Amino acid sequence: MHAGARIGVAAVTVAMFAGGGYAAYALVSDGGKEPARTASGGAAKPTGQSVVAEPPSAEAAAAGAKAFLAAWAKGDFEEAGRLTDRPDAAVAALTAFRTALTPTALTLTPTGAAPVVAPVGPSPSPSIAVAAPRGVPVAFLAEVGLPGAVRVWQYESAVAMVKTGDGGVVVHWDPTVVHPRLGPGMALAIRPVSSSAPSQVVDRKGRPVAEFPSVAAVLSQIEFADDGAQPTDGTGVVVTGASGGSGRPESLFTITASKDAAKKQLTLDADLQRVAEAVVKEQAGPASVVAVEPSTGHVLAFANNPTVGQNRAFGGATAPGSTMKVVTAAALLETGLTPDSPVPCPKNTNAGGRLVPNDFLDARPGYTFKDDFAQSCNTAFIEAAQARLKAGSLPAVAKDVFGLGLVWKTGLSAFDTDIPVETNAEQIALAYVGQGRIRTNALAMASVSATVQSGTFRQPVLVPGKAQPRAARTLSATVLNQLRSMMQRTAQSGTAAKALGSIPGAAAKTGTAEVGGQNPNSWITAYRGDLAVAVEVQAGGHGADAAAPAAAKLLQLGNNH
């Protein structure tokens, strides 16, 4: 059910870089054949070998990555270079890393399979002929001890493992192996950094949050308010050489900071952020989570797995499945339907010529509307909406009540939810259950629960003081209370009960979204007290399977002001 199962490989650690004593590691064979070795016992440099289009097996990729990381960690750069498709470039880059940073310790821990990437393309090495190979990516965590730093620098990267013509497996060399922010002509360095350096970014209580991987990945993109404070200098790790050498160095990690350095504040809460980072890392595939404070719209936590690449929590654009039934239910309740209204749940129904089933196989003719909501009956929702709503009703309620489709300015780039006004009968019907052409993300769906909890849409913000435009209207007190009661019932005895049933005051709606013919994506939107959350897990199955247990951990912690 879950994609991207983790590969169990051990951490590779050294306490200090040391000269001499080079250990030898063989190129890992994907066919049981050990490659040629030098007279000294080291693996022979892969000069003249071709890299083939066929990818290596997951096991061979994991073993090859482990061998490369072991050689890098112990300072054996010649050996590490032999385990790549561009030995000279690899040796030069790893040597530059050590020379620039003079690390006191280095731990490189393989963390499993990374998301599948496109073909890595031809290697620039003139000694290797490449036929558009496809890499098998293996993610790893780097922990770097630096002189004078009070904490270890942590970041995530990945290696793409490719197969050679003789069955060996090597790292496709790219500057991002050393650090994901590096590109051609760029390098790491230790330089003075201003008060806007990552270590000066704090949460709502003044606690540092820049060391959280999901936060660190987007720091350079956050639009902080200009408070007029004068920058003061500390020292930190930066990327140099951006924009053809003319760009301002990008700060990655602060080693020391001036005591009077100005702080940059976010709305985050470090306690919730820590849990958010943990729950997405527990998922087998890509995932994201967002926590919002309904009374203010403040984003209290967001996290992504992987942290490298798209900020899917804010920028994701995919169907939310049955979590959209919160909005559809609001629209239906406004037509006069009540939670106790009889709304039968047939086995399947016609959606503009397409037969739509439920996640369960039997018909449930005695269901009321609150039963349909709690057990997530697609057929009942589609038939009730087809009878009571107009084509533009769902997009209108989504925008006018929940703020979905407005232009949000959170302080960080975000994808604004798209719920098209459809004219095709099939697409109209699918939208009612969160399928079809609807695109949204965890940020928006957390805001949906926040709006139900507080009764008022407050645009989520990550940077305090950002403008929060209002939605056109609110739901009536009657409809609002009905919607809250149905979400509470879902958490107590419906599809979310296994994960949330023991959490007092929890309310939720799970979702299972079919996207691209793959295993369905797992979704939940939920709230408890002054805390609303949304979780999505790619190919995670039903909402109760992956997303709901993750949300439960955040709701259990709660919003401690």
Side-chain angles (χ1 to χ4, degrees):
M1 178 169 289
H2 297 286
R6 293 191 179 279
I7 301 170
V9 283
V12 180
T13 310
V14 292
M16 296 287 290
F17 282 111
Y22 285 70
Y25 290 85
L27 289 175
V28 178
S29 174
D30 199 26
K33 179 179 67 176
E34 184 174 352
R37 307 183 68 83
T38 64
S40 62
K45 187 174 180 179
T47 303
Q49 298 184 66
S50 62
V51 175
V52 298
E54 176 191 0
S57 68
E59 293 76 11
K66 179 182 176 182
F68 167 76
L69 295 173
W72 176 12
K74 70 196 305 181
D76 190 347
F77 300 154
E78 290 296 326
E79 179 64 18
R82 280 192 289 268
L83 298 173
T84 74
D85 61 359
R86 297 180 60 201
D88 293 341
V91 170
L94 297 180
T95 301
F97 176 88
R98 180 173 65 181
T99 301
L101 304 185
T102 61
T104 59
L106 178 63
T107 301
L108 301 170
T109 307
T111 55
V116 175
V117 296
V120 295
S123 167
S125 173
S127 63
I128 301 178
V130 181
R134 188 171 188 87
V136 172
V138 179
F140 67 90
L141 173 68
E143 299 174 276
V144 188
L146 296 169
V150 296
R151 62 174 63 91
V152 173
W153 179 31
Q154 295 184 339
Y155 63 88
E156 294 177 319
S157 192
V159 289
M161 307 305 297
V162 294
K163 190 173 182 178
T164 60
D166 65 353
V169 179
V170 297
V171 172
H172 173 72
W173 184 256
D174 187 88
T176 57
V177 171
V178 175
H179 190 280
R181 300 298 293 176
L182 289 178
M186 301 166 71
L188 299 178
I190 294 178
R191 298 281 177 82
V193 293
S194 70
S195 60
S196 61
S199 68
Q200 297 304 306
V201 178
V202 298
D203 76 346
R204 60 179 178 172
K205 298 179 181 178
R207 298 171 294 183
V209 293
E211 304 308 321
F212 291 112
S214 298
V215 180
V218 299
L219 274 178
S220 63
Q221 306 167 34
I222 297 175
E223 300 173 356
F224 289 101
D226 184 6
D227 56 11
Q230 294 300 312
T232 55
D233 288 340
T235 60
V237 180
V238 302
V239 174
T240 63
S243 302
S246 61
R248 180 179 179 181
E250 176 187 355
S251 296
L252 299 177
F253 176 77
T254 296
I255 299 172
T256 62
S258 175
K259 293 182 180 179
D260 60 351
K263 294 181 178 180
K264 301 293 185 180
Q265 188 174 46
L266 298 175
T267 60
L268 298 176
D269 181 278
D271 296 327
L272 284 164
Q273 183 65 34
R274 186 172 297 106
V275 175
E277 298 278 4
V279 298
V280 294
K281 289 298 289 182
E282 292 171 356
Q283 307 307 320
S288 65
V289 58
V290 174
V292 172
E293 186 172 62
S295 63
T296 63
H298 289 175
V299 176
L300 299 182
F302 72 95
N304 298 292
N305 179 31
T307 57
V308 178
Q310 182 192 42
N311 174 18
R312 62 189 296 125
F314 281 49
T318 189
S322 291
T323 56
M324 185 55 59
K325 288 175 184 171
V326 175
V327 180
T328 307
L332 288 169
L333 291 169
E334 287 196 314
T335 69
L337 202 64
T338 73
D340 293 318
S341 297
V343 183
C345 176
K347 182 177 180 179
N348 48 56
T349 193
N350 187 299
R354 175 176 175 174
L355 199 64
V356 176
N358 296 308
D359 285 336
F360 42 87
L361 299 178
D362 57 316
R364 301 179 182 182
Y367 265 17
T368 62
F369 188 43
K370 64 186 179 186
D371 296 325
D372 298 319
F373 188 93
Q375 301 302 326
S376 205
C377 177
N378 293 330
T379 58
F381 263 78
I382 289 173
E383 291 190 359
Q386 286 174 329
R388 289 174 169 268
L389 301 180
K390 298 178 181 179
S393 296
L394 182 65
V397 171
K399 184 175 182 179
D400 294 346
V401 175
F402 294 92
L404 302 178
L406 298 177
V407 177
W408 292 8
K409 300 293 185 181
T410 68
L412 181 62
S413 178
F415 173 79
D416 296 319
T417 298
D418 183 19
I419 305 178
V421 177
E422 303 285 7
T423 56
N424 176 274
E426 178 183 343
Q427 292 298 321
I428 293 171
L430 291 175
Y432 295 137
V433 293
Q435 297 282 179
R437 298 198 301 157
I438 292 179
R439 296 182 298 157
T440 189
N441 46 53
L443 175 68
M445 297 315 296
S447 179
V448 167
S449 276
T451 300
V452 175
Q453 192 275 347
S454 70
T456 302
F457 166 72
R458 293 179 176 87
Q459 180 214 280
V461 292
L462 181 63
V463 177
K466 285 289 182 181
Q468 295 174 281
R470 297 180 178 180
R473 63 184 182 88
T474 61
L475 297 174
S476 70
T478 298
V479 168
L480 188 62
N481 287 331
Q482 290 172 335
L483 191 55
R484 288 170 178 164
S485 71
M486 293 198 301
M487 291 186 68
Q488 289 164 3
R489 191 167 186 266
T490 302
Q492 293 164 1
S493 60
T495 55
K498 183 177 179 180
L500 307 186
S502 63
I503 303 175
K509 182 69 195 79
T510 59
T512 305
E514 303 286 346
V515 179
Q518 63 178 13
N519 288 338
N521 297 341
S522 177
W523 279 86
I524 192 171
T525 180
Y527 68 85
R528 177 200 176 204
D530 200 13
L531 178 65
V533 302
V535 182
E536 61 87 18
V537 181
Q538 183 175 313
H542 294 93
D545 294 338
K553 294 182 179 180
L554 289 158
L555 296 178
Q556 286 169 338
L557 178 60
N559 181 8
N560 300 312
H561 297 275

